[in-house]
């Protein structure tokens, strides 16, 4: 190339740089000195520039004194019922494969005298001489307020996702006086089965989930209150009819490898699992966990082949709550698909038993 051509090429490049710089200066000047009356930049009608991720699990207040634990895709896992007209609060349903509930309300063959079998519930047959176990006129467990609702975090740091509520309850005697105040925390923790959940034999089952039930009892007055010795209380589960050993050909298994009522009845165990058929070609179940913090752990379990299991806090000994000593309890309810082996249930119970307890504060 000649010197003449090179000079013109150089001049052209310099001119381009000056044009580009002038354009940039113009943009900056326009942005800084734009009149206040200028219209803002338009945004598309369907744009959500500040949208946040939806939590993987939410606890949603509902009409008629209920709260639902709901997955991000809209599936409801369970409802907490706590209305003032109830004899006691309870959880129903517990969703299982294909939408079937893993629990039921009442005994399948005796709905009148066993109307108190409220799916998943807490009560006691003899608290200071009052029978909170049965239905009818008399003492009741009343929810004063739901103090907190907390969804799982939406940033993915909850693995698995957990949502919870905190209820303020009082155990009222037949004459309406409060015998005990209870703070009850109901948390649902969801984990989608992966390789570690290879025991899940139903590929169409929803995520398995663990309900963490924490209760703390305090005396509202100046004297102590006693949970007297009885096999009925505190924690209980009535499974669906088809899961029952007698009605559906299901199976009860405890942490010691014992099976069904004949072997497990009122024997101490860390956990009991009740599993069986739930739909055409589908099997599922519920495991009830006792926690090492509970008095008398491992607790005796009262089980029946007709579809009932309960953790007997006071089978042999009474438990007292005094003004200077509260009673702290934790139970777990594991809802799952398939019929798990003893080792599979133990893998879920072990971290449940090892993790620190949450502080219950109003």
């Amino acid at each position: 190339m000649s010197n003449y051509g090179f000079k013109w090429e150089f001049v052209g490049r310099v001119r381009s740089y000056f044009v580009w710089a002038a354009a940039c200066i113009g943009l900056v000047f326009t942005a800084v000195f734009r009149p206040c009356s200028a219209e803002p930049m338009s945004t598309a009608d369907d744009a959500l520039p500040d949208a946040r991720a939806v939590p993987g699990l939410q606890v949603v207040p509902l009409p008629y004194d209920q709260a639902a634990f709901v997955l991000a895709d809209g599936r409801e896992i369970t409802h907490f019922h706590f209305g003032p007209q109830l004899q006691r609060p309870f959880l129903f349903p517990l969703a299982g494969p294909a939408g079937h509930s893993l629990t039921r309300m009442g005994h399948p063959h005796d709905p009148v005298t066993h109307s108190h079998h409220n799916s998943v519930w807490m009560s006691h047959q003899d608290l200071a001489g009052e029978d909170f176990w049965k239905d009818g006129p008399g003492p009741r467990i009343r929810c004063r307020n739901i103090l907190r609702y907390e969804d799982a975090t939406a940033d993915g740091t909850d693995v698995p996702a957990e949502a919870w509520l905190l209820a303020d309850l009082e155990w009222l005697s037949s004459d309406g006086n409060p015998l005990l105040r209870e703070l009850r925390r109901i948390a649902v923790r969801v984990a989608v089965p992966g390789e570690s959940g290879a025991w899940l034999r139903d590929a169409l089952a929803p995520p398995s989930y663990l309900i963490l039930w924490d209760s703390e009892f305090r005396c509202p007055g100046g004297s102590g209150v006693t949970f007297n010795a009885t096999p009925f209380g505190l924690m209980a589960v009535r499974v669906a009819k088809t899961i029952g050993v007698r009605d559906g050909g299901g199976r009860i298994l405890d942490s010691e490898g014992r099976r069904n009522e004949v072997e497990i009845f009122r024997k101490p165990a860390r956990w009991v699992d009740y599993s069986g058929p739930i739909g055409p070609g589908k099997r599922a179940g519920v495991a009830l966990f006792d926690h090492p913090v509970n008095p008398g752990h491992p607790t005796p379990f009262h089980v029946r082949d007709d579809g009932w299991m309960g953790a007997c806090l006071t089978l042999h000994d009474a438990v007292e709550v005094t003004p200077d000593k509260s009673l702290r309890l934790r139970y777990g309810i594991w809802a799952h698909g398939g019929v798990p082996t003893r080792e599979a249930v133990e893998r879920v119970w072990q971290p449940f038993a090892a993790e620190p307890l949450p502080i219950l504060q109003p």
Side-chain angles (χ1 to χ4, degrees), residues 75-314:
R75 285 180 294 172
E76 294 186 358
I77 289 178
T78 189
H79 283 206
F80 183 55
H81 301 257
F82 55 89
Q85 77 281 7
L86 300 175
Q87 201 89 26
R88 67 197 62 82
F90 58 88
L91 293 172
F92 179 82
L94 262 65
H100 297 287
S101 177
L102 304 178
T103 60
R104 66 173 285 132
M105 298 291 290
H107 193 293
H109 306 293
D110 187 6
V112 177
T113 65
H114 284 72
S115 61
H116 58 278
H117 282 211
N118 301 146
S119 179
V120 178
W121 77 101
M122 174 179 279
S123 61
H124 197 270
Q125 190 183 49
D126 188 353
L127 174 63
E130 297 270 12
D131 187 356
F132 288 83
W133 190 256
K134 66 181 181 180
D135 283 343
R140 65 180 55 242
I141 305 170
R142 185 176 75 93
C143 181
R144 292 162 51 90
N145 291 292
I146 301 296
L147 303 176
R148 292 183 66 180
Y149 293 99
E150 292 291 340
D151 298 334
T153 60
D155 57 8
T157 56
D158 271 351
V159 181
E162 180 177 308
W164 55 275
L165 60 82
L166 183 65
D168 177 14
L169 311 175
E170 56 185 1
W171 293 52
L172 300 174
S173 65
S174 299
D175 56 9
N177 292 322
L179 297 176
L180 283 176
R181 290 288 296 274
E182 178 194 354
L183 281 178
R184 181 180 300 179
R185 184 182 189 268
I186 304 290
V188 175
R189 183 179 297 169
V190 177
V192 179
E195 292 183 1
S196 62
W199 55 266
L200 190 70
R201 300 170 188 174
D202 185 354
L204 299 179
S208 65
Y209 57 93
L210 178 65
I211 297 171
L212 302 166
W213 184 301
D214 288 277
S215 292
E216 185 169 21
F217 297 92
R218 295 183 181 275
C219 292
S223 59
V225 181
T226 302
F227 289 99
N228 292 314
T230 173
F232 299 106
L234 282 168
M235 199 72 213
V237 178
R238 165 61 68 175
V239 299
K241 180 179 179 181
T242 59
I243 292 177
V245 174
R246 190 172 302 164
D247 288 304
R251 176 225 66 186
I252 315 174
L253 179 72
D254 74 1
S255 59
E256 310 312 300
R258 297 176 292 235
R259 293 176 65 96
N260 297 345
E261 179 181 337
V262 66
E263 297 181 6
I264 301 174
F265 186 72
R266 298 186 182 177
K267 301 286 181 60
R270 298 185 300 279
W271 52 261
V272 167
D273 180 81
Y274 215 134
S275 297
I278 195 61
K282 297 182 182 298
R283 303 187 295 180
V286 181
L288 178 57
F289 293 167
D290 190 45
H291 193 277
V293 74
N294 298 340
H297 173 83
T299 192
F301 277 83
H302 189 132
V303 301
R304 292 294 191 186
D305 287 345
D306 64 14
W308 180 72
M309 59 180 172
C312 304
L313 177 73
T314 55

Side-chain angles (χ1 to χ4, degrees), residues 54-65:
V54 175
L57 182 64
Q58 301 176 66
V59 54
V60 182
L62 298 177
Y64 311 112
D65 302 302

